[in-house]
Each structure stands twice: as C-alpha cells, then as structure tokens.
Amino acid sequence: MPTYIEPVFRPPSEARSLIFQITIGCSQNHCAYCGMYKMKRFTLKPAEEVFAEIDGIPARYRLHVDRVFLADGDALVYPFEGLCAILDRLAATFPNLTRVGSYSSPNSLTTKSVDELRMLREKRLRIVYFGLESGDDATLAAVNKGFTAEKMAQEALKAREAGMKLSVTAILGVAGRGRSLDHARATAAWVNRVNPEFFSLLTLFRRHNEEFVDTLDQCTRRELLAEAKELLTHLSPQRTILRSNHVSNFLELAGGYPKDRERLIASVEEAVAHLEGIPGYLDEVPEYGEEYY
C-alpha cells in the first residue's frame, strides 16, 4: 500500500482519487503566505519505491480506480523520464484509469517543454492545479512567489497548448487592505488572458504562515466581499468554471463564465445585504474554517 509522509493535501475535486506521493513537500517552498509544506524538506521519491506502492494495490481494487492524484506540492517537477515511467505503470496497473492530476508550481512548469507536456497528457496526466495566488506583481513580490504574473502566464499557457486542463487558484485577501482591489483587477485580467478551464478562489488564513499574516493589514469580511465582487465584475473568460468551495472561504460561489457572471455578482451583493443584519460581523477579520454563508 502507498506510504504517505503527512500531511498530504489534494484539491477538493480529487476527493475520490487514489493518491500516490511521488515528491515530498514543494520545490518552491518559500512563498510567505503558504504553510502547507513548511514542515517538510523537498525530496523526490525514487521511482522504484513509487512502482512498489502502485504494485501493492490489491488486484481486487484495481478495476475501481479511474482517477489518480500525484502528490505533493508540485509533482510535475519530477524528472520527465521518471514521470513517464510512473504514468506508464499506473496505466498498466489500473485498466479503467481515465485521468491523472497533480499540483504544478510555476517552477515545475519551467522544467517541461510543450512537447514533454503533450506526451505526459497522452499518458493520462490530464489536469494540473496551478497556484497563481495573484495577477498583481506588487502582491506577488510581497508574498515571495518568485515569479511575475507575465512569466506565470507564459508557463500556464504551455500547459494549455499541450492540451492539459488547467485549474488555477487565487487567494482573496493575500494583498491586504492596501492593494485589495488592484489584486482583484489584475487577477481577473490574468485569468481572462489564460482562460483556464477551472478557476478557484481561496481566502487567506493563518496556518504555519504567522510571520506573514501578522505583518499584513488583513481585510475584513466586508473588504473581502468587495474584493470578490471586483474580481467577478472584471472576469470575462470563456468556458471557465468558477468555484469558491474551499474550507477557507466564508462565501461559497459556483458557476460558469460567461453565462453565470451576473448571478455570481448578485450572490456577493445578496451576501452583503444578508450579513449586514449581523452586528459587527462584516467588519471583522474572518477565522479559518468558518461555516459557509
């Protein structure tokens, strides 16, 4: 059976996927806002160890596996030949496998050419989850992302050119109060340019990132909702599914662009009107894990 070095994270849409951890931690583990892998030192699992874990899945379960997620933080950074071999082993072991997914940092995409990404897609690596966080260069510099918005767009478009599905995440509140609306507009412009199949919103929360959060002038719920509305108003991608269903969000949104644009904006306005009835609530900084509105 697979051996996991915890904690292990996966996107909400990979809830039913079988997870194999082929890297430990994240190769780009210096982002100030992120505490997911701060307790791990980045390493690559030897391919033979991954093969043994794949082979260890009992035969009676193999027909039931149709999706696999490769962990940890940016499994796409795994050397190309080794990653191909892992994907080949997955396909040979699970006859009903239709899709493999992985996180992808901007750094990991720089390690693969379009032709290599296209070959990985042919081997069923069909979706990559890309952490944009912000399309605003000042915000990206402040959080130590290590890449400009332009460079991240270039790398993300490589995945699109290769035919991979792209799921992009941005973080409400990561710019703080001073650049909140600039962050929203620039992020919307980036998404409009790259036009990913999926775009998800998270909300900044405190978890192994206290040094960053404690120095940030954090947004209140009111300001976060204003930021979300600004972003939704400026979004105009084609055939992009939007979600805010992460536990960090206190407002759940779900819809598709462009058809649901007006409904999504109205949902934010309705939330503000409803929450005005709770004295002081909108003017507080939210806590991680609040119930959805």
Side-chain angles (χ1 to χ4, degrees):
M1 293 296 289
T3 300
Y4 302 114
I5 298 176
E6 297 191 22
V8 175
F9 301 94
R10 51 92 181 147
S13 59
E14 299 289 345
R16 293 180 56 252
S17 300
L18 181 59
I19 299 176
F20 290 99
Q21 192 177 42
I22 70 171
T23 66
I24 310 301
C26 177
S27 68
Q28 192 179 329
N29 200 20
H30 51 64
C31 301
Y33 62 86
C34 180
M36 289 172 65
Y37 301 105
K38 289 295 189 284
M39 67 296 294
K40 296 183 182 184
R41 180 179 179 180
F42 177 74
T43 55
L44 299 172
K45 260 191 183 178
E48 291 300 326
E49 184 176 337
V50 178
F51 295 160
E53 293 178 355
I54 294 171
D55 295 345
I57 301 298
R60 64 183 179 275
Y61 296 124
R62 294 181 183 183
L63 290 174
H64 301 288
V65 176
D66 59 356
R67 290 189 178 185
V68 166
F69 182 73
L70 300 177
D72 260 338
D74 56 349
L76 190 67
V77 81
Y78 206 92
F80 178 70
E81 290 185 2
L83 185 52
C84 285
I86 290 169
L87 292 170
D88 287 341
R89 193 64 155 252
L90 290 170
T93 304
F94 305 111
N96 293 322
L97 183 66
T98 60
R99 189 181 88 176
V100 179
S102 79
Y103 285 127
S104 170
S105 70
N107 181 59
S108 65
L109 275 171
T110 67
T111 69
K112 304 291 185 292
S113 69
V114 173
D115 286 342
E116 288 173 330
L117 291 171
R118 190 175 289 116
M119 186 174 295
L120 293 173
R121 185 195 177 281
E122 290 172 358
K123 294 178 181 291
R124 297 189 178 92
L125 182 57
R126 300 283 166 78
I127 185 168
V128 291
Y129 298 86
F130 183 86
L132 168 66
E133 328 316 348
S134 177
D136 176 47
D137 280 338
T139 299
L140 292 170
V143 302
N144 202 27
K145 184 69 179 180
F147 288 82
T148 64
E150 172 62 26
K151 179 59 175 173
M152 285 198 286
Q154 293 172 7
E155 294 303 321
L157 285 168
K158 282 168 49 178
R160 294 299 316 277
E161 184 179 348
M164 288 181 167
K165 289 186 177 180
L166 186 65
S167 181
V168 173
T169 54
I171 304 176
L172 296 173
V174 73
R177 303 178 76 180
R179 293 200 64 81
S180 174
L181 299 184
D182 298 293
H183 157 60
R185 289 187 287 267
T187 301
W190 192 99
V191 173
N192 294 343
R193 174 184 175 186
V194 174
N195 209 48
E197 283 82 2
F198 305 97
F199 177 49
S200 298
L201 295 172
L202 286 67
T203 302
L204 181 69
F205 60 92
R206 182 186 300 270
R207 189 180 189 277
H208 304 302
N209 58 356
E210 287 79 6
E211 185 175 349
F212 171 70
V213 174
D214 287 343
T215 60
L216 188 70
D217 190 6
Q218 289 183 260
C219 295
T220 64
R221 294 186 189 90
R222 185 186 304 278
E223 291 162 337
L224 289 168
L225 289 170
E227 183 177 300
K229 181 181 176 183
E230 187 78 2
L231 194 156
L232 294 173
T233 300
H234 285 82
L235 273 178
S236 59
Q238 298 301 308
R239 299 175 67 86
T240 294
I241 295 172
L242 181 139
R243 294 284 186 273
S244 66
N245 58 352
H246 188 263
V247 69
S248 63
N249 300 118
F250 64 95
L251 174 63
E252 185 171 4
L253 299 167
Y257 269 77
K259 69 181 180 70
D260 295 321
R261 177 181 179 274
E262 299 306 321
R263 178 179 61 79
L264 289 165
I265 294 170
S267 294
V268 178
E269 294 171 343
E270 290 166 7
V272 173
H274 175 80
L275 295 173
E276 288 282 12
I278 307 175
Y281 182 81
L282 283 175
D283 297 313
E284 297 173 344
V285 173
E287 296 295 328
Y288 173 58
E290 289 186 346
E291 293 294 325
Y292 290 138
Y293 161 71

